[in-house]
Amino acid sequence: MIIVLFGKPGAGKGTQAPLLAKELDVPTLATGDVLRAAKRAGTKLGLEAKGFMDRGDLVPDSVILGILGEELSQPQYVKGVILDGAVRTVPQAEGLRQMLASLGRKLDVVLAFDIDNDEIARRLSDRTVCERCQTPYTGRKVGDVCDKCGGALMRRKDDDPDAIRTRLRVYDEETAPVLEWYRAHGDRVVIVNAVGAVHDITTSALAGLEK
Ligand SMILES: [Zn+2]
């Protein structure tokens, strides 16, 4: 079973991915992790990606898809995989389809976590991080003391409410058409309400997949 997780930044994909993986008994594959691993391992595509990153450029889709494809050819993904962060734009959706086809495989379902922008802004603005050791916290105030090192907690620049709204606007423009693209191509799209307790969201995601 090949599942693509889809949803706004802050929708909880990263939290749900390992929980769903455990229930479905398939590994997860987060694009950012694979990219960093390929860079560390010094594979041909990994070095190519490194070149772009070192210059401060975005790594092109073709390089990212190549790295994902090499990873997906490994035996641990024979049963399936949960892809996190693989598709944010229509060209990436097209690229992923071609890459999977070249491996003789096919996407089974797009699992989209649905949450409105106000809720995400509220969630993300509740996040702080230790300025010294970078430990993340939720539900703590700016200026509180870090449990680990005694440093002060600060808000990440990315989590500033204005920055969040800009990110969500970019998301709406770039990524909302992706679900339409999948539907137009006859792919199965399951929408899950991503507001509520973590366990309840996992349960409704699994129920949606079983239908
Ligand atoms: Zn700390």
Side-chain angles (χ1 to χ4, degrees):
M1 188 176 222
I2 297 182
I3 301 173
V4 164
L5 298 188
F6 195 82
K8 296 169 191 179
K13 291 190 299 295
T15 305
Q16 291 296 329
L19 299 170
L20 292 168
K22 192 162 168 257
E23 290 295 330
L24 299 167
D25 195 25
V26 291
T28 60
L29 208 167
T31 300
D33 294 344
V34 183
L35 206 57
R36 279 188 290 274
K39 211 176 100 175
R40 267 199 312 274
T43 65
K44 184 171 162 286
L45 287 169
L47 292 176
E48 216 177 305
K50 183 177 182 297
F52 287 101
M53 289 188 237
D54 288 349
R55 289 193 296 276
D57 292 332
L58 282 177
V59 182
D61 289 348
S62 58
V63 175
I64 293 177
L65 284 163
I67 290 172
L68 276 178
E70 281 179 353
E71 180 68 19
L72 283 176
S73 328
Q74 304 296 313
Q76 66 264 39
Y77 303 105
V78 164
K79 273 182 70 181
V81 66
I82 297 175
L83 294 169
D84 178 8
V87 179
R88 291 198 176 89
T89 64
V90 170
Q92 288 170 353
E94 287 168 344
L96 178 66
R97 161 170 305 216
Q98 282 166 16
M99 184 268 276
L100 289 174
S102 75
L103 297 174
R105 308 192 67 175
K106 192 179 162 300
L107 176 78
D108 289 290
V109 59
V110 178
L111 188 60
F113 291 96
D114 186 41
I115 178 168
D116 71 39
N117 289 356
D118 288 343
E119 173 66 18
I120 292 189
R122 199 190 58 73
R123 260 188 213 188
L124 295 186
S125 65
D126 202 33
R127 288 204 305 207
T128 49
V129 62
C130 172
E131 64 181 3
R132 206 183 293 164
C133 73
Q134 303 298 315
T135 299
Y137 291 91
T138 12
R140 302 273 296 263
K141 284 198 288 292
V142 170
D144 276 3
V145 173
C146 173
D147 297 341
K148 290 199 178 149
C149 77
L153 304 189
M154 54 173 241
R155 178 156 294 146
R156 283 183 6 166
K157 224 170 142 199
D158 280 359
D159 290 343
D160 170 75
D162 284 343
I164 291 168
R165 293 202 184 274
T166 305
R167 258 154 72 200
L168 291 174
R169 204 162 46 236
V170 170
Y171 175 91
D172 285 339
E173 283 164 13
E174 276 187 2
T175 66
V178 175
L179 290 186
E180 288 314 311
W181 185 89
Y182 274 118
R183 288 193 183 104
H185 284 76
D187 285 303
R188 201 170 150 226
V189 175
V190 172
I191 309 273
V192 180
N193 176 10
V195 182
V198 170
H199 174 78
D200 294 342
I201 297 168
T202 311
T203 304
S204 58
L206 290 169
L209 290 174
E210 266 173 27
K211 268 180 205 154

